[in-house]
Amino acid sequence: MNHYKSWSALNKQLTDFICDELKTRISFFLTRYHKVHNSYGRAAILLDGRELVCFSWTEMYHQEQDLHEVWEETGVWDDGNLDLKEKWDKNATYCDMDFLSAATEFLQMPVKEALNSDNYIIRVFAILDRRVGKRTLRAIKQQEAYFNYPDWVRQFYELRLDDAFPFRAFT
């Protein structure tokens, strides 16, 4: 994971990239429980103050449980297991560190690369990004590939596409 100086600086960078239509509606949340072993935390992406997706330290235990079950069956501790990745992607089984890692990685890559990332959290940051213009949004809408994404990811695409094309009845 790339390092960041402070959550407030990272949050400002992420917020600065949000498209104008959603700038006042989308916010990012992160808290760390410093008195807890390993300073576990919780992150979320909110719309109008309501959580759309949460990344909690408790999800790390779900990941470890899944890895442990695979290890018991195969004898291999494989955190790159594609079946587990698919399960975690579908259910948003990510912890706060996954969110932080994706955020710092997103800020270091071109937005077109982020839109095609295998990491759904990075894709969410990208679809909310102001650098994604109307032509790119139109292409995304026409391809309809986002319909195959997990519900928690698809909601961000639909939110952005609805805001970019408010008069859907005429399209």
Side-chain angles (χ1 to χ4, degrees):
M1 179 174 86
N2 296 324
H3 292 287
Y4 64 98
K5 290 186 179 189
S6 70
W7 165 242
S8 60
L10 183 61
N11 187 26
K12 181 175 179 354
Q13 286 181 291
L14 291 171
T15 303
D16 286 347
F17 278 115
I18 296 175
C19 66
D20 290 339
E21 299 88 359
L22 297 173
K23 192 169 272 303
T24 60
R25 301 184 65 203
I26 292 285
S27 59
F28 304 105
F29 169 83
L30 175 73
T31 190
R32 306 290 295 174
Y33 305 111
H34 296 287
K35 293 184 180 182
V36 175
H37 176 67
N38 288 340
S39 295
Y40 294 138
R42 188 172 171 284
I45 302 175
L46 299 93
L47 172 69
D48 299 329
R50 183 178 55 91
E51 252 181 37
L52 294 180
V53 64
C54 174
F55 311 99
S56 173
W57 63 273
T58 58
E59 297 304 327
M60 179 180 59
Y61 290 117
H62 294 287
Q63 290 175 344
E64 287 182 8
Q65 178 64 34
D66 291 340
L67 287 166
H68 183 73
E69 288 172 7
V70 169
W71 175 76
E72 285 181 335
E73 290 175 18
T74 65
V76 177
W77 189 269
D78 183 11
D79 59 357
N81 183 308
L82 295 178
D83 292 332
L84 291 181
K85 182 184 178 335
E86 186 177 318
K87 177 183 176 183
W88 298 340
D89 283 346
K90 182 179 184 220
N91 300 321
T93 307
Y94 298 115
C95 66
D96 56 309
M97 294 308 293
D98 294 324
F99 173 83
L100 282 171
S101 178
T104 56
E105 192 176 332
F106 166 73
L107 293 172
Q108 302 300 314
M109 65 176 37
V111 72
K112 287 195 186 253
E113 185 180 324
L115 278 171
N116 296 311
S117 175
D118 290 338
N119 184 322
Y120 281 130
I121 303 171
I122 291 175
R123 281 188 187 216
V124 166
F125 289 134
I127 196 63
L128 297 173
D129 196 302
R130 63 180 158 76
R131 298 172 292 174
V132 177
K134 295 246 186 205
R135 280 185 290 209
T136 303
L137 290 171
R138 240 181 238 110
I140 289 170
K141 186 176 181 180
Q142 287 174 346
Q143 292 168 359
E144 296 182 345
Y146 66 94
F147 286 128
N148 298 323
Y149 298 160
D151 292 341
W152 72 271
V153 176
R154 192 172 53 244
Q155 70 184 341
F156 291 99
Y157 277 82
E158 291 170 351
L159 178 66
R160 180 70 197 274
L161 294 173
D162 284 346
D163 278 348
F165 305 106
F167 303 108
R168 291 172 63 120
F170 299 107
T171 59

